[in-house]
Every structure is written in C-alpha cells, then in structure tokens.
Amino acid sequence: MRLVGTLQLALLLALTSWATGLNIPLEVEQLPTIITYTTGPVIALPFDPTVKIRCKAKGNPTPAYRWTKDGKDFIPPHITTNKTDPTGGTVVLLHKHLINFQGKYRCYAFNKLGTAMTEEIELIVPNVPKFPKEEHPPIVVKEGEPMTLHCNPPEGVAPRQIYWMSLGLQHFKQDNRVSMGSDGNLYFSNAIQNDSRKDYCCYAAFPRIRTIVQKDAMAVVVKSLNNGNESDDSADATPPVRRPSLLLPSGVQTVKVLLKGETLKLECIPEGYPTPMVKWMKMGDKMAPRNKVERHGKLLTISAVEERDGGKYMCTAENSAGEAVHYFDVIVEEQPKWLTEPPQGQLTVIGSDVHVKCSVTGKPPPDITWRRNGELFRDDPDNNRRVLDDTVVLHNATPEDSAVYQCDASNVHGSILANINIMVMNMAPRILTRDYQDYAVVLGGDITMNCSVFGSPPPEVSWSKYETPGPIEGERFSQNGSLQIIIAEKRDSGKYVCVASNREGKSSITAILDVKDPTKIVGPPQDAQVISGTTAQLKCQTEYDESLRGSFEVVWRKDGEELPLSFEENSRYVLDDGMLQIMNVNLSDQGVYTCVARTSLDEDSATALLTILDVPDAPKDLKISEIKSPRNVLLSWVPGSDHNSSITEFIVEYEESQWEPGRWKEQQKVPGNQATAELALHGHLDYQFRVYAVNAVGPGPPSEPTERYRTPPAAPDRNPENIKIQGHLPHQMDISWEPLLPIEHNGPGLEYKVSYRKLGVEDVWTEHLVKRHSFVVRNTSTFIPYEIKIQSRNSHGKGPDPKVVTGYSGEDVPTAAPRDVAVEVFNTTVLRVSWTPAPPATVRGHLGGYDVQWFRKRSMLNPNKVLDERESMSFPGKRTHAIVPGLKPFSEYRLTVNVFNKKGNGPNSDPVTFNTPEGVPAQVPILTASNAQKDTILLVWGPPLETNGILSGYLLQYHLFDEPTLEVVDSQEINITKADTTQLRLRGLEESRLYRFHLSACTRAGCGPPLAQESRTVTSAHLPPTPAVAPVQSIPALLNISSYVSDTFAKISWTAREEQQDSQLYVAYKNNRDGIWRISEAVNTSQSFHIIDGLKPGAVYTVRLMAKRLLDNASIFEDVIQTRVKAAEGQRRDFSTQGWLIGTMCAMALLTLVVLMACFVRRNKGGKYAVKEKEDLHPDVESQGMNDDMFCEYSDSEEKPLKARGLISLNDDDTVGDSISRDSLVDYADGGGEFDEDGSFIGEYSESKHRGSGSAPNGPGTITA
C-alpha cells in the first residue's frame, strides 16, 4: 500500500503538498492521515473541460471524505473512485456551470478514530477579460506639455501583459520621454509634433487563457507653438522650460507593503521640459546589490526581498529647471510559517502526559486556533485538557484522547494548517515482516534483514543466529530493529531469529540468509581498432553463482546507452555467449562499450574503446595558383577526416579533354603531412584535377574536380627514349624508339628528326623527318657501327638536344671456326676443352659465344655396339676454354666447337676424339640377409646396374654390434674376387647377435658406394625344424611387379598366378634416411596392388614384398624408389612421353637404314636452328658477365633419349637390340631362378659380363618376371 501511495504521490507532486503523520503500519488501526491534496488557489481556465480538486488520505479503517464550501457542508456532484481507494476524495467539477462553484473548499477525511482536514482550497472562475465599449475623443495638448493615455486593462488570469501598439501592430518606441507605467498607462513627459496620430491602441494579453484584447484606438493632437499652426513641421519655436513633477505616483509618499521573497517594484514617471532624468537611493542605508534599474531609470526592482530590504526609498526627477522627489516607505512582512517543521504525531502509552507544540512565525505574528477532529478545541482544566496559546497538554492521557488535533496559524497574509495524530494505546509487539523470509547477498556485499515491529510501548528488538548461542556481535553487524551485515562472508549463511518484546508481550520471526558468489567479469573486453565494413568482436567472459542463472544477463551499453540487442536476422548486433558482434561496422559505431553482467543481486561492468578505422574523407576546397609559369602551378586543398588512421599520402589525379576525356590518371603523390603539390604540366591541354587521400585502410573517395585549367602550347619537353638499333638483314639498319605520349606533344604537328652517321668515319649527319616511330637505313655494310640521335619537334619548336647512341648495322652468320681445339680429361665424367678463338672479322656480328658439342661413340664395355648419344653446351661471351661435365666413364667420345652470334652458328671445328677412364661401379641394387642360423647368415645380392668399367669383384665388410649401446664390437672384411658371385654364406658368427653388412662392387678404378643391410643370428631354441619335419612355407610367385611413385604415395602392383590367388604377403618400406622399417597388415595377393601413403616428397625409400611379417624373412621383391618433387612433376611427365617417342624412333632405325639416315640429317639440321633460338634468348651477349669455367646452357641433341631418374638406378647403355629386363630378384621368381632350403631367393643374372642395366622411366615402371 505504501508503494501505491508513493507512486500516486509522485504523479500529483506538481499540484500537491505533503501532510505529516505517524509512521504506523496500515495493518494497525490508526487515525486518518491526509497524504496529499490540491493547494489553492485553483484557477478554472476556459478551455479546461473539468476541474479536479484532489484529496487523499490513509488510515485504518479506510477513511471516508466530506467537503465544505465557504464553511458550509458541500456535496460534490462528482467524486472519483478507484479499486485501490474506493472512497477517494477527488472532486470533479464540470465546466458548464463552473461559475456556481466558485468559493473556498475544505476536505475532511474521517474514520471511527478521528478526522483529518485540509487547508482551504480556493476555486477561482475568472470571467473572459474585455475592454468596455466607450468613445474616446481626441486628446489635444500643446507642444511640450505632459500627456497620459489611459489603458485601464481588464482583470483576468495572471499573468497579464500590456502593450501599446498602432493599428498596424507596430510597437511605440519608449524612451526617457515616453514610457508605459506598471498600471498600463502610456506617459509622455512632454509632447512633440510627431506624437500626433490617431491609432494609439492598448492591448492586454493573458497567456494562460490564450487571449488578447484590444482597446479602441485613441487619437492625439499636439498643437504647435508656431502661430498655433498644428501642421507646420518646419517651425523652430521651442516649448518653455518647465521644472519636473511626477505623473506617477501621485503625492509625496507611498507606503509599499510586500511579502518576504517577493520582488519589490518602485516606479517614478516624471514630466517636465527638458525631459527629466530619474535617480534612486535608499535613505540611511545602502541599496541591496540585487537591485536593478529598468525602463530608462524609471523602475527600481529588488528581487527576493528580505526584511532588511525594508525602509525608506527616494526617487529624484531633475532637469535644468529643477527637481521633484517622491518617498516610498517599504514594509516587508511574512505569511505564517513553521519555525522548524510542522508538529509531528505521537504514539504514547495510557497514563502518560502528551505535549503538542505548534511553533510558528510570521509578520504580523499569526493567531493560532486549535481543533480536535475538525472541531474547535478549547481549554478544559477540569478534564486535564489544557490549551496554552501554541501548546496543547493532555494530562494522564487515556485512549479516548486519541484523535487528530489541528493547529491553524493565520495572519493577514495567509494561514498554515497541521494535522497532528495523537494515538494513546498499549499493545504487545506485532512483527509485520513475513516469517521465514529468504534473503540473498553476494560475497562481500551488504545485506539488511528486516524486522518491522509495532507495539506500544516501543518493543525492544534483538537478533540471534540458529545454533549459535548468545546475541550477534561484531563490527560487521549492526542492529536498529533490522539486522545489517556488511561485507558478507560465506559463513554468514544460515537462519536468523528476530525477537521483539515489551511489557505487553513478545513475538519472533525467522529469516534465512544465503551468501552467493559474486558476479565477475573475468575476461573484460579489450580496446579494439576495426576497419569499417567488417565485423567487430568484443568478448566479455563472466562468472556468476549458478543459483542465479535465471536472473543472469549480459547487457552492452554504448556511450552509456543500452544497445538494442535483437535476435532478428537483419540485426547488426549479435550477442553470443557473452561476445558482442557488430556486423558491418561504420563510423557511428565508434565509442566506449560497456559490458554489464548482472543478476538480481549484483552486477559487474567493464569498458572498452572501439575505434573504427575507415578510409579518409575526400579533400575539400581545391585551389590552383600559378608559380613560375602557366605550366607550373600549385594545387592546394584542405584534408578531410582521416578516421583514426593517419593519412600516408595524397594522390593527385588529372583528366584532360583532348586525348582521353573522362579518364583520370595519376599525376603526383604527396606525403600525408602535406596539403599542397607543385605540378609541372604539359602544354596545349585542358586540365582538371582531383585529389584523394590514402591511409592504412585504403584509398578514400576523390575530391570534387577543379575548374578547367588550360595550358598554352609549347615545344616538346623531351625526346624519344628506348632507342633500339637492330639489323634484321645483313645490309640494313632498323631504328625504332618509344614515341612521345599524346599529352607530351605540347602542341600540334609533332614529328621526329632522325640523324645518323658512321662512327669515326663520317662527320656529316644524314637527317630525315618522320612522323612514325621507326626508320630503316638501307644499303649498309655488314655490322658497321653508327651514331644515331632522334629529336622531337612540333609547330612551336624543337625539343632539347638529343643524346647520341651507338648501334650496328645488320649481322650475318660467322664464317670461320675455332682452331687448335684440345681436350684435357680431368676424371671419368669431367673434361676441360680449349681453343683458339675465330678472328673477330669472321664473326660478322656481336659475339654470342661458343657451342661445344660432343657425342658418345661407344662404351668400352661393349666396343662393338655403336652409340650416337649427342649433347651440347653453350658458353656465352669471349672465352678460350670451358669445363664440360656429365660424361660417362669408360667410353669413347668425339668433340667439336663452333662460334655463334645473333644470326646463327658458324662452322664446326675439326673433331677431337678422346676416351674417359674406367670408373668405380654404382651401388649394388639389392642386398638381402636371410636364412639366419645360430652362427651363419646367407647374403644374396644383385650386380650393379652400371659397372662403369670391368667388374673385378666385391668388397664385403660386416660389423658386430653391442645392442644396448650400438657400439661396434668387431669388424671383418672379405674380398670377393669372382665378378659373377651373387651370394655368400657367412659362417663362424656369434649366436643371437646383431650384424650390419656393407657390400660394394669393384673395378680396377676402385670400389663403389656400399649398400647396407642388418640381420641377427638366432639362438638354439629358435632354430626352425629340420626340412624333413618342418612344413614348407608357400612363397607367393608374383608376375609383372611394377610401381608408380608420386610425391607422397607409391602404388605397388603385381599379378598372382591362379594357385596363389588367396595367398598373403606383407609390404614393408623404410626411409633410407632414418632406416626405420614400417610393415603393413596382411595383403591378399588377389588384391593385385597396395598403396603406401604418407611419404615425403623427394625422399628415397626401400620397398619389400615379404611372405611373412618378419624383416629377416625372405623377400619376394625389393626395390629402391624416390618420391617426386611437386615442382618437377610436369617436367618428368614430359620426359616420360619423350622416352616413349625416342624408343619408337630407335626401333624404326633398326628396321631400315634409310630412316636412320633421315633421322641423322634431321638431327644436324635441328642443331643449327637450336643456336638461333639461343641467340633470341641472349640478344646482347657481350653485355653479360662472363664466367670462364661455368656453362649457361646444357642440352642433349634432339635425337638422344632424355635421361630419366629410374625407380632403381641411373641410365645404362641400353639400345634397342640389347635391352634387358629390370635386374631384380623377382625377375627369376618364375623358373629363371631358384630358392634354397629356407625359402630365400638365389638369383642368377644373365649376361653378367660387361652388361649394362635397363633404364627406368619415371612413372609406372614394369618389371618383367
């Protein structure tokens, strides 16, 4: 109920005043207390349909209301009621007959215990103001005499405003001579001719009722002093001097009485000639500093007067003829008011004395009238009821003395009324707070647990906690009826008991307190800079008590205003798990964002500054001013906002209307801290300029373009550049250059003057004028140096002096070959070739360099087989020797050298024949260790695919390892002198020990790189059963084993015989760098392939197919592969394609000699044109740096098969008639080889004497079994 009363009170605050009363809960019987009522006077405005006079009270029982009007009972025609207050006392008066209800009203609220009353409320019903109809004869005065125009405005609703205006609503000017008084009259200190007119009108405005009324116009005639002619404006007669007197106020002295706090207004309006001036003073004292003199000195005002502002004031009006004075006796009085506060109600016990004092002040002193329940209350000594002026005393009070006592203090200026509720009663404590009330507070917060108690005499209240003996004590606890706990702790949770007691009885309630975890922002939002148009994210991580989940929420504010978060799809604000996302941010989103995490108990907040970065605004106010000439101007501008990202540069653009109208091009860049640019312009153009700014976000919009700026025509500023002199034919010279851009013409009639002469031979320049940008000089000698210069010119003059460049006339192919070609073989693959250069005159052009060609005639391992492997290298520039790599050991070669220029190759030198020495063999392709016994191991290997000489045998080294430390304990070495040996059983090994074997193939030049393999001997307990008892292990026999290698995987394919379709095998592989084996699960042979994935590009792997999941088991197949490098994939694919094409050509060569000859002729022809292509790639070889020993190009001839990296080895000496299958143990898995008693393979290689190895194409390589 108190809340409802408070809300209604707030709504009526503007028109109501407070009443006082006891703070007794409404649950207890009590006297009426007027809460609010309408204060007078109430003015009924004409446009208000109704007038309401409010009166509201509280009490138990609920009060009823009655009204009086002018001291008599009044029954209102309409009384409003509502559900919460069915006996409400608001009177509603309809406007129709409102004049009948004008008067003074008083409201009485009463119940069975007593009656409360209000002060008188005056209702004023004003009439519509209007001026009376009356005739106004013209006012005739002589010039210089005083004059007063009377307004006599009607009364009306204040405030009233008076104006003097003409019929045309023009205000009359007021000054020292003419002014309007506070009574509304218009005063003239002395009349002049210009005052004569017929339309002096007085207007009265009443803003509250929106009304303006006008008085009928008045006419004024001022008679001239010149012969009595009123219309002679040129008269120069002046009025006689007249001493001042006062038009307002009249008499000598005026008494002015006003209330404290009002504004004092004293007015003196004089008349006289010349116009008097007015002065003010306070006699015997200084004027208050709040004083103001207005209306040209005629009005003195002092705001908010106080008692000390009273006294005698004097105004003095004076002119040259004398002065006049008037005295004002100012008296400041005061309406009644309370000295401190209105007397308060009292609750007392039976038998006590009650004193009620009504302390008021006022001037004159107020008279005090006492009432009891609205009726006059007089002194009654016999019944112990005394009224002693401003005090009422009740001796030995009884319950019958309970009533509403009224103190009414009044003087001539007003009255004040106080209702004093006196309750005389005895009552046991009554606790009004609900029992078992739940309270919650966050850790560290403050909480107050209420225990609202009423009783008489006032009860004593104490608190205790369950299960804790004694009262609650400590600095954090305070009791004043309620229990307040500051800085709550977890241990404060629990049940509390409030006990209230007085001499009439005792009462108690229980309160339950729960101390909860506080709400915290553990991850506050961080300041962020976000580019406009993107999404901003502000994170706000929170913690809160789980029991408060229902009331927990996260709210975001921007610059103090809560953001309108919405779950609609088109909303720019998205809140997800505490993170605020602002979609498509713009500059308006910049500001301080506050994350507020709150529950029903507490909240926490954190702020972050969001800065929006955007492209700069367009520059403004572009201005062009000339500096030195019309073609050198200064462009200035005012930069726009950088939107939080500093401007790094300005870009000045131009557009011209002659050559490319509408197309904007960049003219100049200017640093971001500069707002001007000096522009050098071309002639004969109509320019427009604009500027845009650039910051870290990007370029901003361009500015508005400038006005057109026309430059005068002029001679060209520069000559052509990038002059090129070429000789496409031997007897002519082609000259070309980069022409001037159209905007660089600077005027009409552009052409070029081409001048040339032979260098060091001719002094006279040959000149030609051309309009195009090329010129051909014909009938020149071959490769003669010339001087050339090109100058631009137009109708307004020539360009600057041109630079002279040197060039040569056309070239021709060289006519001579290098001489004295000699070869020095360094080793099996590298040699040094030297020669005597061809005479310079025979080169007939810029020296391109030298081509070295060599071809391999035969391998010394197979001297009867003729080879034709051709290769060449180009060495640019002037040189006499070169290093040639890439030779093959133990082979016979033939070598030639030729010179080349841009036109082609010269003739070949005389051939030189030489042999490369024998080299060491390549690594053996496979080495297996199997059939391990207690002291023996069987080693099986294949011969090297490239012997590089005559194979003399093998070198076997093996080492015994100590397994815990992997240190070498013992090492042995065996020389195998038979070249055709491919297996060896080692004996005398230690039982159950780890061995590593290294096998190298050897020639007379030495031994090649070793291939390593590890194996372990077994213990006696693990020896396999004898062959008579042991089951025979079925070894799958596979055909057509092949592999396809990519960059990260390899595919191993095979074909199984019918009887082996359901066998199983295992695929093992290892990276040769780390040596760690990885073995697959069992693979069914009918699957026909297995994918090895997860390989590293460009790495070398060893792959095995095995019958058992044991590394020492016999291998069905073993191979070495290398994964591809991604960048070379396309190149390798081309190599593979070319390999097939070359193989086909070689087959055709063996069928017919005619085709072979044709291929040979094609090869030689192709070699010649290859040089031309190289010349096109290096047009000016002489200008390039030379390196004597290094080559620039290295390529095989067209007919030679391109070398491809094999899956197993490098190329061999393979030819069509002598090709062999891949050398692998699997070649003999089907009849060509045999297996020994433990199932391992013992292979025999055919053609072991001086045989080569088959080349392996990149991609799928088929191994024939």
Side-chain angles (χ1 to χ4, degrees), residues 921-928 939-947 951 953-954 979-984 999-1002 1009 1011 1118 1208 1222-1228 1241-1246 1248 1251 1253:
Q923 188 182 58
V924 295
I926 184 170
L927 172 63
T928 62
L939 298 179
V940 181
W941 64 87
L945 301 179
E946 290 187 3
T947 59
L951 193 65
Y954 298 90
D980 56 354
T981 302
T982 58
Q983 62 176 333
L984 177 67
L999 182 68
S1000 302
C1002 302
L1011 179 63
E1118 180 164 338
I1208 298 178
R1222 176 77 59 205
D1223 292 327
S1224 175
L1225 297 180
V1226 77
D1227 297 339
Y1228 303 97
F1241 173 75
I1242 304 174
E1244 295 182 3
Y1245 283 70
S1246 62
S1248 61
R1251 67 169 296 187
S1253 62

Side-chain angles (χ1 to χ4, degrees), residues 400-414:
E400 289 73 19
D401 291 323
S402 295
V404 181
Y405 294 81
Q406 285 90 21
C407 169
D408 189 353
S410 62
N411 63 11
V412 295
H413 300 296

Side-chain angles (χ1 to χ4, degrees), residues 556-563 588-594 608-610:
W556 285 88
R557 298 190 181 108
K558 176 182 179 292
D559 299 329
E561 297 292 332
E562 189 166 324
L563 290 178
S588 66
D589 294 317
Q590 180 169 300
V592 177
Y593 285 78
T594 303
L609 175 63
L610 179 62

